[in-house]
Amino acid sequence: MYNPLAPSRAAFYSAAFPGMGQIYNRKYWKAPIVWGALGTSIFFYLDNNNEFKRFRRAFRARSNGFQDEFTVINADGTTTETVSVETIERAQEQLRENRDLSLLTTAILYVLQIVEASVNAHLLQFNTDDNLTLRPTFINTPVQIETPKLGVTLKYNF
């Protein structure tokens, strides 16, 4: 039975809650994949963001002449920097790039799961009956028996 609203409904459900469009299409095994993919990219976004903020705080403290978490106070009262300012700057840049890439990956995965739910809802409505087949066959001609010819049979029933 053809339902023209099924693809838009599946896309809406996926947009409202990721994986719900796959459940609406009765493809239950796809929902954990969607959740795992989005959860992984969100985890990496949050992890890179926290590390970026950590190095950013250290850079700001060191730039203002304060002690940061990478500065160790020795027993004689002197301070030793375990990480240089250049290393902190490079770490900030790398973590910012990783954070932005994780955010982009999350957005792409979110859009892809919506598109996948919609396309799957469209494809579920196609007729995939055995009466609609395309099968290659070998045709033997009585003139040239030793060299079979390849042909295509299109079977189309109403």
Side-chain angles (χ1 to χ4, degrees):
M1 183 169 151
Y2 181 72
N3 182 1
L5 297 178
S8 61
R9 189 171 293 141
F12 174 75
Y13 288 155
S14 282
F17 184 75
M20 193 59 135
Q22 285 75 14
I23 292 171
Y24 173 76
N25 290 334
R26 294 183 179 90
K27 302 289 184 178
Y28 304 108
W29 62 273
K30 291 182 182 181
I33 295 171
V34 169
W35 297 331
L38 287 174
T40 301
S41 61
I42 289 171
F43 168 78
F44 281 114
Y45 171 79
L46 294 174
D47 185 48
N48 286 318
N49 192 38
N50 290 337
E51 289 296 312
F52 170 74
K53 288 179 181 179
R54 179 178 159 223
F55 279 93
R56 185 73 180 157
R57 278 191 304 271
F59 177 74
R60 285 182 176 169
R62 196 171 290 182
S63 297
N64 292 327
F66 296 111
Q67 187 177 1
D68 59 67
E69 67 177 287
F70 301 111
T71 304
V72 178
I73 300 175
N74 298 329
D76 58 358
T78 60
T79 59
T80 305
E81 295 176 350
T82 57
V83 178
S84 67
V85 175
E86 293 82 19
T87 303
I88 291 175
E89 287 176 348
R90 278 196 308 261
Q92 281 184 80
E93 291 172 9
Q94 186 65 44
L95 289 167
R96 184 185 305 122
E97 288 176 9
N98 290 347
R99 179 194 65 185
D100 295 346
L101 185 62
S102 297
L103 182 62
L104 179 65
T105 303
T106 303
I108 289 172
L109 288 173
Y110 178 75
V111 170
L112 280 178
Q113 64 94 22
I114 293 171
V115 169
E116 192 278 330
S118 177
V119 168
N120 194 2
H122 272 292
L123 293 178
L124 287 175
Q125 297 183 29
F126 279 101
N127 184 5
T128 56
D129 191 13
D130 285 337
N131 290 333
L132 300 172
T133 59
L134 183 67
R135 294 184 188 149
T137 59
F138 288 102
I139 301 170
N140 291 325
T141 59
V143 177
Q144 297 175 338
I145 295 176
E146 63 275 351
T147 57
K149 295 184 172 138
L150 184 64
V152 176
T153 301
L154 178 62
K155 184 179 177 184
Y156 186 70
N157 293 333
F158 290 99

